[in-house]
Amino acid sequence: MRNFWWRVYTLVKKEFVQIWQDPRLRKLIVVSTLLQMVFIVGNNTLDVKNLRLAVLDYDKTYESRELVSRFQDSPYFQKVMYFEDRPSMEYVMDLQKVEMCLVINNGFAVAIHKQEPCEVLVAVDGRNTNVAGIGADYANQIVADYSASVMVKKQAQPILVSRARFNPELNWTWFSAVSTISSLVVSTIITVAGISLVLEKDLGTIDHLWISPLSRKEFLLGKTLAPTCIGLILFWVLSFLGIVLYDMPFNGSFLMFLINGFFAVMALCATGVLLACLCKNQFQAVLLGGLLLFVQYLTGGTISPVADMPPIVQYLTFFNPFRWFLANNLGIFLKDMSWITFGKHCLYLMADIVVCFYFADRILKKYKDK
């Protein structure tokens, strides 16, 4: 047993030296991840603010100006431009100089005083569906609030009071920071673990390792532990930057944070090693790795919830370590998740580790027997 760990330690030491001496991997680990953490989180947002509004007020009364002032005072609208005719207003929208148009017809004030229904037209630029949908919701809320303030004949009706748990202000930056940290760790560690093994094939040094006393299990363990240590340090550094730079909360257990990092990074390294075992050279590894990362991001829960995916895809995501890594990070940072849920996610990560190591060992056995 002592010789086993000594051989593994020697291989891990070699891996650290080999990874650090490769300038591409150094830049990927240090420069690329830190720059992406700084620039992606601040710019990657689905919040819609600073909308430009075109106003066509045919009524020109105190009531219509009061409604327009509600839009001006809203924090979501940056600029309000007034027009006298519809063609000029539509021309400005065609040039994408405004995202929304507000049209108030004649008789608006009369209808308000008579407590009669009246229409207010809001036209949005549908070329950007996200901006159009959210902007229309803003306009509906503003008009509804104004309508409630001027109505005299109010009928009894239920009042909807909404609250957001775990993120009361719906701060998109928090989710963006957590997902960016998870994504950067996934892409970096899978790449580092995969390239370090494929590089042995390209240089021919893997044959030297086969004639050494190393067994396949020692080889796989040594190839995994070095990227795991790098991944843990990277995960801790990025998490610290997220808390300091973006005021990201940390509501969970610190022990849970450490355990999650170890199992998740270990699963990612095992995935990278399996990927490298399937490839013969770095070109194949880059192509297959890019496809794998794209599939992981697509099915990990950052773009759309897993529950909204087709049933067959939902079952396949059980073998996606990024899904459980992201779910644990969201639970640790944004809320104090239960140990039962956390343990369930860790079991899936451990299953990914076992499956990847098993198939990697089978592939290496065939390669070694040639």
Side-chain angles (χ1 to χ4, degrees), residues 139-184:
N140 288 332
Q141 184 62 46
I142 292 173
V143 174
D145 291 342
Y146 176 77
S147 177
S149 66
V150 298
M151 283 182 61
V152 177
K153 301 176 182 178
K154 298 182 180 180
Q155 298 177 353
Q157 56 183 352
I159 300 175
L160 176 64
V161 179
S162 63
R163 295 184 178 91
R165 298 184 63 195
F166 314 121
N167 190 353
E169 298 180 0
L170 296 179
N171 189 342
W172 172 259
T173 304
W174 291 356
F175 176 80
S176 178
V178 175
S179 60
T180 301
I181 291 170
S182 306
S183 302
L184 290 177

mmCIF file of all heavy atoms in Angstrom, residues 139-184:
data_model
loop_
_atom_site.group_PDB
_atom_site.id
_atom_site.type_symbol
_atom_site.label_atom_id
_atom_site.label_comp_id
_atom_site.label_asym_id
_atom_site.label_seq_id
_atom_site.Cartn_x
_atom_site.Cartn_y
_atom_site.Cartn_z
ATOM 1 N N ALA A 139 -44.746 47.896 -18.818
ATOM 2 C CA ALA A 139 -45.795 48.823 -19.237
ATOM 3 C C ALA A 139 -47.156 48.426 -18.658
ATOM 4 O O ALA A 139 -47.932 49.284 -18.200
ATOM 5 C CB ALA A 139 -45.861 48.876 -20.762
ATOM 6 N N ASN A 140 -47.445 47.122 -18.668
ATOM 7 C CA ASN A 140 -48.722 46.663 -18.114
ATOM 8 C C ASN A 140 -48.820 46.990 -16.626
ATOM 9 O O ASN A 140 -49.889 47.388 -16.140
ATOM 10 C CB ASN A 140 -48.865 45.155 -18.335
ATOM 11 C CG ASN A 140 -49.119 44.799 -19.794
ATOM 12 O OD1 ASN A 140 -49.674 45.598 -20.537
ATOM 13 N ND2 ASN A 140 -48.712 43.610 -20.198
ATOM 14 N N GLN A 141 -47.729 46.832 -15.906
ATOM 15 C CA GLN A 141 -47.744 47.116 -14.482
ATOM 16 C C GLN A 141 -47.935 48.604 -14.209
ATOM 17 O O GLN A 141 -48.693 48.998 -13.302
ATOM 18 C CB GLN A 141 -46.434 46.628 -13.842
ATOM 19 C CG GLN A 141 -46.380 46.784 -12.335
ATOM 20 C CD GLN A 141 -47.458 45.972 -11.634
ATOM 21 O OE1 GLN A 141 -47.658 44.806 -11.948
ATOM 22 N NE2 GLN A 141 -48.149 46.601 -10.687
ATOM 23 N N ILE A 142 -47.275 49.449 -14.998
ATOM 24 C CA ILE A 142 -47.405 50.892 -14.808
ATOM 25 C C ILE A 142 -48.828 51.346 -15.096
ATOM 26 O O ILE A 142 -49.423 52.133 -14.347
ATOM 27 C CB ILE A 142 -46.397 51.636 -15.698
ATOM 28 C CG1 ILE A 142 -44.962 51.373 -15.213
ATOM 29 C CG2 ILE A 142 -46.680 53.145 -15.706
ATOM 30 C CD1 ILE A 142 -43.901 51.927 -16.137
ATOM 31 N N VAL A 143 -49.395 50.855 -16.199
ATOM 32 C CA VAL A 143 -50.771 51.226 -16.559
ATOM 33 C C VAL A 143 -51.755 50.707 -15.525
ATOM 34 O O VAL A 143 -52.728 51.391 -15.153
ATOM 35 C CB VAL A 143 -51.097 50.707 -17.967
ATOM 36 C CG1 VAL A 143 -52.579 50.950 -18.298
ATOM 37 C CG2 VAL A 143 -50.221 51.391 -19.010
ATOM 38 N N ALA A 144 -51.530 49.481 -15.033
ATOM 39 C CA ALA A 144 -52.431 48.918 -14.023
ATOM 40 C C ALA A 144 -52.380 49.734 -12.727
ATOM 41 O O ALA A 144 -53.418 49.985 -12.095
ATOM 42 C CB ALA A 144 -52.058 47.462 -13.751
ATOM 43 N N ASP A 145 -51.188 50.156 -12.323
ATOM 44 C CA ASP A 145 -51.066 50.977 -11.115
ATOM 45 C C ASP A 145 -51.761 52.328 -11.296
ATOM 46 O O ASP A 145 -52.423 52.826 -10.368
ATOM 47 C CB ASP A 145 -49.591 51.194 -10.772
ATOM 48 C CG ASP A 145 -48.908 49.916 -10.312
ATOM 49 O OD1 ASP A 145 -49.622 48.964 -9.935
ATOM 50 O OD2 ASP A 145 -47.661 49.863 -10.351
ATOM 51 N N TYR A 146 -51.611 52.908 -12.479
ATOM 52 C CA TYR A 146 -52.275 54.187 -12.735
ATOM 53 C C TYR A 146 -53.790 54.020 -12.739
ATOM 54 O O TYR A 146 -54.527 54.841 -12.179
ATOM 55 C CB TYR A 146 -51.809 54.748 -14.075
ATOM 56 C CG TYR A 146 -52.521 56.017 -14.470
ATOM 57 C CD1 TYR A 146 -52.195 57.240 -13.896
ATOM 58 C CD2 TYR A 146 -53.540 55.992 -15.427
ATOM 59 C CE1 TYR A 146 -52.866 58.408 -14.244
ATOM 60 C CE2 TYR A 146 -54.217 57.149 -15.789
ATOM 61 C CZ TYR A 146 -53.875 58.355 -15.193
ATOM 62 O OH TYR A 146 -54.535 59.499 -15.546
ATOM 63 N N SER A 147 -54.256 52.940 -13.352
ATOM 64 C CA SER A 147 -55.699 52.688 -13.397
ATOM 65 C C SER A 147 -56.266 52.515 -11.995
ATOM 66 O O SER A 147 -57.341 53.026 -11.680
ATOM 67 C CB SER A 147 -55.971 51.447 -14.247
ATOM 68 O OG SER A 147 -57.347 51.130 -14.253
ATOM 69 N N ALA A 148 -55.532 51.805 -11.141
ATOM 70 C CA ALA A 148 -56.020 51.602 -9.771
ATOM 71 C C ALA A 148 -56.068 52.905 -8.988
ATOM 72 O O ALA A 148 -56.921 53.082 -8.101
ATOM 73 C CB ALA A 148 -55.116 50.592 -9.064
ATOM 74 N N SER A 149 -55.176 53.846 -9.315
ATOM 75 C CA SER A 149 -55.133 55.107 -8.569
ATOM 76 C C SER A 149 -56.237 56.071 -8.980
ATOM 77 O O SER A 149 -56.618 56.943 -8.190
ATOM 78 C CB SER A 149 -53.776 55.782 -8.757
ATOM 79 O OG SER A 149 -53.599 56.193 -10.114
ATOM 80 N N VAL A 150 -56.775 55.946 -10.191
ATOM 81 C CA VAL A 150 -57.798 56.893 -10.660
ATOM 82 C C VAL A 150 -59.200 56.311 -10.613
ATOM 83 O O VAL A 150 -60.176 57.036 -10.830
ATOM 84 C CB VAL A 150 -57.488 57.358 -12.101
ATOM 85 C CG1 VAL A 150 -56.162 58.094 -12.147
ATOM 86 C CG2 VAL A 150 -57.496 56.191 -13.081
ATOM 87 N N MET A 151 -59.317 55.016 -10.343
ATOM 88 C CA MET A 151 -60.649 54.417 -10.293
ATOM 89 C C MET A 151 -61.363 54.834 -9.012
ATOM 90 O O MET A 151 -60.780 54.826 -7.924
ATOM 91 C CB MET A 151 -60.553 52.887 -10.350
ATOM 92 C CG MET A 151 -60.278 52.314 -11.737
ATOM 93 S SD MET A 151 -60.249 50.516 -11.695
ATOM 94 C CE MET A 151 -61.913 50.171 -11.133
ATOM 95 N N VAL A 152 -62.624 55.209 -9.166
ATOM 96 C CA VAL A 152 -63.460 55.555 -8.018
ATOM 97 C C VAL A 152 -64.356 54.375 -7.656
ATOM 98 O O VAL A 152 -64.498 54.004 -6.494
ATOM 99 C CB VAL A 152 -64.321 56.801 -8.324
ATOM 100 C CG1 VAL A 152 -65.247 57.096 -7.148
ATOM 101 C CG2 VAL A 152 -63.426 57.986 -8.639
ATOM 102 N N LYS A 153 -64.935 53.743 -8.653
ATOM 103 C CA LYS A 153 -65.811 52.584 -8.443
ATOM 104 C C LYS A 153 -64.935 51.321 -8.423
ATOM 105 O O LYS A 153 -64.711 50.695 -9.447
ATOM 106 C CB LYS A 153 -66.857 52.486 -9.560
ATOM 107 C CG LYS A 153 -67.742 53.721 -9.674
ATOM 108 C CD LYS A 153 -68.676 53.589 -10.854
ATOM 109 C CE LYS A 153 -69.540 54.811 -11.016
ATOM 110 N NZ LYS A 153 -70.441 54.711 -12.203
ATOM 111 N N LYS A 154 -64.431 50.997 -7.272
ATOM 112 C CA LYS A 154 -63.578 49.830 -7.138
ATOM 113 C C LYS A 154 -64.398 48.658 -6.608
ATOM 114 O O LYS A 154 -65.081 48.774 -5.605
ATOM 115 C CB LYS A 154 -62.416 50.115 -6.187
ATOM 116 C CG LYS A 154 -61.500 51.226 -6.683
ATOM 117 C CD LYS A 154 -60.345 51.447 -5.738
ATOM 118 C CE LYS A 154 -59.431 52.552 -6.245
ATOM 119 N NZ LYS A 154 -58.300 52.789 -5.326
ATOM 120 N N GLN A 155 -64.351 47.566 -7.297
ATOM 121 C CA GLN A 155 -65.046 46.366 -6.880
ATOM 122 C C GLN A 155 -64.099 45.505 -6.048
ATOM 123 O O GLN A 155 -62.883 45.562 -6.202
ATOM 124 C CB GLN A 155 -65.532 45.574 -8.096
ATOM 125 C CG GLN A 155 -66.523 46.361 -8.945
ATOM 126 C CD GLN A 155 -66.936 45.582 -10.174
ATOM 127 O OE1 GLN A 155 -66.391 44.535 -10.445
ATOM 128 N NE2 GLN A 155 -67.911 46.104 -10.896
ATOM 129 N N ALA A 156 -64.697 44.715 -5.163
ATOM 130 C CA ALA A 156 -63.882 43.821 -4.343
ATOM 131 C C ALA A 156 -63.204 42.792 -5.235
ATOM 132 O O ALA A 156 -63.868 42.100 -6.020
ATOM 133 C CB ALA A 156 -64.757 43.123 -3.301
ATOM 134 N N GLN A 157 -61.925 42.690 -5.145
ATOM 135 C CA GLN A 157 -61.182 41.735 -5.960
ATOM 136 C C GLN A 157 -59.931 41.305 -5.198
ATOM 137 O O GLN A 157 -59.425 42.030 -4.343
ATOM 138 C CB GLN A 157 -60.787 42.365 -7.291
ATOM 139 C CG GLN A 157 -59.984 43.645 -7.155
ATOM 140 C CD GLN A 157 -59.683 44.248 -8.494
ATOM 141 O OE1 GLN A 157 -59.934 43.642 -9.516
ATOM 142 N NE2 GLN A 157 -59.147 45.447 -8.481
ATOM 143 N N PRO A 158 -59.451 40.075 -5.460
ATOM 144 C CA PRO A 158 -58.251 39.612 -4.764
ATOM 145 C C PRO A 158 -57.029 40.437 -5.161
ATOM 146 O O PRO A 158 -56.910 40.900 -6.288
ATOM 147 C CB PRO A 158 -58.108 38.160 -5.245
ATOM 148 C CG PRO A 158 -58.837 38.108 -6.549
ATOM 149 C CD PRO A 158 -59.962 39.088 -6.419
ATOM 150 N N ILE A 159 -56.155 40.647 -4.196
ATOM 151 C CA ILE A 159 -54.932 41.408 -4.427
ATOM 152 C C ILE A 159 -53.754 40.441 -4.410
ATOM 153 O O ILE A 159 -53.574 39.672 -3.457
ATOM 154 C CB ILE A 159 -54.743 42.494 -3.348
ATOM 155 C CG1 ILE A 159 -55.935 43.472 -3.381
ATOM 156 C CG2 ILE A 159 -53.431 43.233 -3.544
ATOM 157 C CD1 ILE A 159 -55.894 44.508 -2.278
ATOM 158 N N LEU A 160 -53.004 40.445 -5.466
ATOM 159 C CA LEU A 160 -51.837 39.570 -5.572
ATOM 160 C C LEU A 160 -50.623 40.259 -4.950
ATOM 161 O O LEU A 160 -50.247 41.353 -5.341
ATOM 162 C CB LEU A 160 -51.548 39.243 -7.045
ATOM 163 C CG LEU A 160 -50.292 38.414 -7.313
ATOM 164 C CD1 LEU A 160 -50.419 37.028 -6.691
ATOM 165 C CD2 LEU A 160 -50.020 38.317 -8.806
ATOM 166 N N VAL A 161 -50.040 39.609 -3.964
ATOM 167 C CA VAL A 161 -48.815 40.092 -3.329
ATOM 168 C C VAL A 161 -47.740 39.042 -3.581
ATOM 169 O O VAL A 161 -47.848 37.910 -3.114
ATOM 170 C CB VAL A 161 -49.010 40.318 -1.815
ATOM 171 C CG1 VAL A 161 -47.707 40.795 -1.190
ATOM 172 C CG2 VAL A 161 -50.136 41.311 -1.576
ATOM 173 N N SER A 162 -46.737 39.403 -4.337
ATOM 174 C CA SER A 162 -45.686 38.446 -4.698
ATOM 175 C C SER A 162 -44.399 38.771 -3.947
ATOM 176 O O SER A 162 -44.057 39.938 -3.756
ATOM 177 C CB SER A 162 -45.423 38.477 -6.211
ATOM 178 O OG SER A 162 -44.950 39.732 -6.607
ATOM 179 N N ARG A 163 -43.728 37.743 -3.542
ATOM 180 C CA ARG A 163 -42.434 37.878 -2.870
ATOM 181 C C ARG A 163 -41.483 36.833 -3.454
ATOM 182 O O ARG A 163 -41.903 35.732 -3.777
ATOM 183 C CB ARG A 163 -42.562 37.687 -1.356
ATOM 184 C CG ARG A 163 -43.384 38.761 -0.657
ATOM 185 C CD ARG A 163 -43.370 38.546 0.848
ATOM 186 N NE ARG A 163 -44.109 39.583 1.555
ATOM 187 C CZ ARG A 163 -45.399 39.505 1.852
ATOM 188 N NH1 ARG A 163 -46.097 38.436 1.486
ATOM 189 N NH2 ARG A 163 -45.996 40.482 2.494
ATOM 190 N N ALA A 164 -40.234 37.189 -3.564
ATOM 191 C CA ALA A 164 -39.215 36.283 -4.080
ATOM 192 C C ALA A 164 -38.357 35.788 -2.925
ATOM 193 O O ALA A 164 -37.715 36.584 -2.235
ATOM 194 C CB ALA A 164 -38.343 36.981 -5.127
ATOM 195 N N ARG A 165 -38.371 34.496 -2.679
ATOM 196 C CA ARG A 165 -37.541 33.921 -1.629
ATOM 197 C C ARG A 165 -36.106 33.753 -2.118
ATOM 198 O O ARG A 165 -35.853 33.564 -3.307
ATOM 199 C CB ARG A 165 -38.100 32.568 -1.186
ATOM 200 C CG ARG A 165 -39.491 32.618 -0.580
ATOM 201 C CD ARG A 165 -39.898 31.247 -0.095
ATOM 202 N NE ARG A 165 -39.018 30.769 0.976
ATOM 203 C CZ ARG A 165 -38.976 29.497 1.375
ATOM 204 N NH1 ARG A 165 -39.729 28.594 0.774
ATOM 205 N NH2 ARG A 165 -38.162 29.135 2.346
ATOM 206 N N PHE A 166 -35.181 33.808 -1.184
ATOM 207 C CA PHE A 166 -33.749 33.582 -1.415
ATOM 208 C C PHE A 166 -33.090 34.704 -2.211
ATOM 209 O O PHE A 166 -31.875 34.846 -2.171
ATOM 210 C CB PHE A 166 -33.489 32.238 -2.123
ATOM 211 C CG PHE A 166 -34.253 31.086 -1.531
ATOM 212 C CD1 PHE A 166 -35.135 30.344 -2.296
ATOM 213 C CD2 PHE A 166 -34.087 30.769 -0.192
ATOM 214 C CE1 PHE A 166 -35.824 29.286 -1.744
ATOM 215 C CE2 PHE A 166 -34.777 29.711 0.373
ATOM 216 C CZ PHE A 166 -35.654 28.966 -0.407
ATOM 217 N N ASN A 167 -33.859 35.462 -2.979
ATOM 218 C CA ASN A 167 -33.315 36.593 -3.735
ATOM 219 C C ASN A 167 -34.407 37.653 -3.810
ATOM 220 O O ASN A 167 -35.037 37.841 -4.857
ATOM 221 C CB ASN A 167 -32.879 36.148 -5.133
ATOM 222 C CG ASN A 167 -32.086 37.221 -5.870
ATOM 223 O OD1 ASN A 167 -31.954 38.345 -5.402
ATOM 224 N ND2 ASN A 167 -31.577 36.885 -7.032
ATOM 225 N N PRO A 168 -34.681 38.354 -2.715
ATOM 226 C CA PRO A 168 -35.856 39.243 -2.649
ATOM 227 C C PRO A 168 -35.889 40.305 -3.734
ATOM 228 O O PRO A 168 -36.965 40.675 -4.215
ATOM 229 C CB PRO A 168 -35.731 39.878 -1.254
ATOM 230 C CG PRO A 168 -34.878 38.929 -0.472
ATOM 231 C CD PRO A 168 -33.925 38.340 -1.452
ATOM 232 N N GLU A 169 -34.734 40.828 -4.126
ATOM 233 C CA GLU A 169 -34.696 41.884 -5.128
ATOM 234 C C GLU A 169 -34.531 41.340 -6.542
ATOM 235 O O GLU A 169 -34.384 42.114 -7.485
ATOM 236 C CB GLU A 169 -33.549 42.846 -4.816
ATOM 237 C CG GLU A 169 -33.711 43.556 -3.472
ATOM 238 C CD GLU A 169 -32.559 44.501 -3.188
ATOM 239 O OE1 GLU A 169 -31.651 44.597 -4.045
ATOM 240 O OE2 GLU A 169 -32.569 45.150 -2.129
ATOM 241 N N LEU A 170 -34.579 40.007 -6.692
ATOM 242 C CA LEU A 170 -34.406 39.364 -8.004
ATOM 243 C C LEU A 170 -33.140 39.882 -8.690
ATOM 244 O O LEU A 170 -33.156 40.270 -9.858
ATOM 245 C CB LEU A 170 -35.641 39.589 -8.883
ATOM 246 C CG LEU A 170 -36.948 38.962 -8.366
ATOM 247 C CD1 LEU A 170 -38.094 39.290 -9.310
ATOM 248 C CD2 LEU A 170 -36.816 37.465 -8.202
ATOM 249 N N ASN A 171 -32.058 39.888 -7.950
ATOM 250 C CA ASN A 171 -30.777 40.360 -8.467
ATOM 251 C C ASN A 171 -30.195 39.301 -9.390
ATOM 252 O O ASN A 171 -29.723 38.248 -8.952
ATOM 253 C CB ASN A 171 -29.823 40.633 -7.297
ATOM 254 C CG ASN A 171 -28.552 41.335 -7.743
ATOM 255 O OD1 ASN A 171 -28.206 41.329 -8.919
ATOM 256 N ND2 ASN A 171 -27.864 41.945 -6.800
ATOM 257 N N TRP A 172 -30.219 39.580 -10.699
ATOM 258 C CA TRP A 172 -29.741 38.613 -11.682
ATOM 259 C C TRP A 172 -28.245 38.382 -11.545
ATOM 260 O O TRP A 172 -27.736 37.303 -11.883
ATOM 261 C CB TRP A 172 -30.077 39.096 -13.090
ATOM 262 C CG TRP A 172 -29.453 38.249 -14.171
ATOM 263 C CD1 TRP A 172 -28.339 38.523 -14.895
ATOM 264 C CD2 TRP A 172 -29.905 36.972 -14.612
ATOM 265 N NE1 TRP A 172 -28.062 37.503 -15.774
ATOM 266 C CE2 TRP A 172 -29.011 36.540 -15.620
ATOM 267 C CE3 TRP A 172 -30.978 36.151 -14.271
ATOM 268 C CZ2 TRP A 172 -29.159 35.330 -16.280
ATOM 269 C CZ3 TRP A 172 -31.119 34.937 -14.924
ATOM 270 C CH2 TRP A 172 -30.227 34.539 -15.915
ATOM 271 N N THR A 173 -27.495 39.340 -11.051
ATOM 272 C CA THR A 173 -26.047 39.205 -10.931
ATOM 273 C C THR A 173 -25.675 38.038 -10.024
ATOM 274 O O THR A 173 -24.670 37.360 -10.267
ATOM 275 C CB THR A 173 -25.429 40.507 -10.389
ATOM 276 O OG1 THR A 173 -25.800 41.589 -11.239
ATOM 277 C CG2 THR A 173 -23.914 40.419 -10.342
ATOM 278 N N TRP A 174 -26.462 37.777 -8.995
ATOM 279 C CA TRP A 174 -26.149 36.662 -8.106
ATOM 280 C C TRP A 174 -26.209 35.339 -8.856
ATOM 281 O O TRP A 174 -25.301 34.523 -8.756
ATOM 282 C CB TRP A 174 -27.129 36.641 -6.926
ATOM 283 C CG TRP A 174 -26.940 37.777 -5.977
ATOM 284 C CD1 TRP A 174 -25.969 38.749 -6.024
ATOM 285 C CD2 TRP A 174 -27.741 38.078 -4.839
ATOM 286 N NE1 TRP A 174 -26.108 39.626 -4.998
ATOM 287 C CE2 TRP A 174 -27.190 39.249 -4.239
ATOM 288 C CE3 TRP A 174 -28.849 37.491 -4.259
ATOM 289 C CZ2 TRP A 174 -27.736 39.818 -3.094
ATOM 290 C CZ3 TRP A 174 -29.388 38.060 -3.123
ATOM 291 C CH2 TRP A 174 -28.836 39.208 -2.546
ATOM 292 N N PHE A 175 -27.285 35.114 -9.596
ATOM 293 C CA PHE A 175 -27.392 33.874 -10.369
ATOM 294 C C PHE A 175 -26.315 33.818 -11.446
ATOM 295 O O PHE A 175 -25.717 32.768 -11.685
ATOM 296 C CB PHE A 175 -28.771 33.775 -11.022
ATOM 297 C CG PHE A 175 -28.931 32.570 -11.918
ATOM 298 C CD1 PHE A 175 -29.204 31.331 -11.382
ATOM 299 C CD2 PHE A 175 -28.789 32.685 -13.300
ATOM 300 C CE1 PHE A 175 -29.344 30.220 -12.199
ATOM 301 C CE2 PHE A 175 -28.925 31.591 -14.121
ATOM 302 C CZ PHE A 175 -29.211 30.349 -13.569
ATOM 303 N N SER A 176 -26.043 34.951 -12.076
ATOM 304 C CA SER A 176 -25.017 34.988 -13.113
ATOM 305 C C SER A 176 -23.649 34.649 -12.542
ATOM 306 O O SER A 176 -22.856 33.921 -13.161
ATOM 307 C CB SER A 176 -24.988 36.379 -13.764
ATOM 308 O OG SER A 176 -23.977 36.462 -14.744
ATOM 309 N N ALA A 177 -23.345 35.151 -11.344
ATOM 310 C CA ALA A 177 -22.046 34.879 -10.728
ATOM 311 C C ALA A 177 -21.907 33.399 -10.382
ATOM 312 O O ALA A 177 -20.869 32.778 -10.660
ATOM 313 C CB ALA A 177 -21.868 35.734 -9.480
ATOM 314 N N VAL A 178 -22.950 32.816 -9.786
ATOM 315 C CA VAL A 178 -22.883 31.396 -9.409
ATOM 316 C C VAL A 178 -22.761 30.514 -10.648
ATOM 317 O O VAL A 178 -21.947 29.582 -10.692
ATOM 318 C CB VAL A 178 -24.117 31.008 -8.579
ATOM 319 C CG1 VAL A 178 -24.123 29.515 -8.288
ATOM 320 C CG2 VAL A 178 -24.148 31.783 -7.276
ATOM 321 N N SER A 179 -23.566 30.784 -11.668
ATOM 322 C CA SER A 179 -23.509 29.967 -12.885
ATOM 323 C C SER A 179 -22.194 30.155 -13.629
ATOM 324 O O SER A 179 -21.660 29.201 -14.203
ATOM 325 C CB SER A 179 -24.686 30.307 -13.805
ATOM 326 O OG SER A 179 -24.660 31.674 -14.191
ATOM 327 N N THR A 180 -21.647 31.373 -13.612
ATOM 328 C CA THR A 180 -20.362 31.608 -14.274
ATOM 329 C C THR A 180 -19.234 30.875 -13.563
ATOM 330 O O THR A 180 -18.359 30.284 -14.209
ATOM 331 C CB THR A 180 -20.054 33.113 -14.326
ATOM 332 O OG1 THR A 180 -21.094 33.789 -15.046
ATOM 333 C CG2 THR A 180 -18.723 33.365 -15.016
ATOM 334 N N ILE A 181 -19.235 30.897 -12.232
ATOM 335 C CA ILE A 181 -18.228 30.151 -11.476
ATOM 336 C C ILE A 181 -18.301 28.672 -11.818
ATOM 337 O O ILE A 181 -17.275 28.026 -12.101
ATOM 338 C CB ILE A 181 -18.435 30.370 -9.962
ATOM 339 C CG1 ILE A 181 -18.098 31.806 -9.580
ATOM 340 C CG2 ILE A 181 -17.591 29.402 -9.148
ATOM 341 C CD1 ILE A 181 -18.499 32.165 -8.165
ATOM 342 N N SER A 182 -19.503 28.124 -11.817
ATOM 343 C CA SER A 182 -19.664 26.698 -12.127
ATOM 344 C C SER A 182 -19.213 26.392 -13.551
ATOM 345 O O SER A 182 -18.525 25.395 -13.796
ATOM 346 C CB SER A 182 -21.133 26.301 -11.937
ATOM 347 O OG SER A 182 -21.593 26.644 -10.653
ATOM 348 N N SER A 183 -19.589 27.242 -14.505
ATOM 349 C CA SER A 183 -19.235 27.007 -15.902
ATOM 350 C C SER A 183 -17.731 27.083 -16.131
ATOM 351 O O SER A 183 -17.154 26.265 -16.862
ATOM 352 C CB SER A 183 -19.949 28.028 -16.800
ATOM 353 O OG SER A 183 -21.350 27.969 -16.643
ATOM 354 N N LEU A 184 -17.070 28.069 -15.507
ATOM 355 C CA LEU A 184 -15.628 28.217 -15.687
ATOM 356 C C LEU A 184 -14.870 27.039 -15.093
ATOM 357 O O LEU A 184 -13.892 26.556 -15.676
ATOM 358 C CB LEU A 184 -15.157 29.521 -15.051
ATOM 359 C CG LEU A 184 -15.584 30.809 -15.755
ATOM 360 C CD1 LEU A 184 -15.107 32.029 -14.976
ATOM 361 C CD2 LEU A 184 -15.045 30.861 -17.171
#
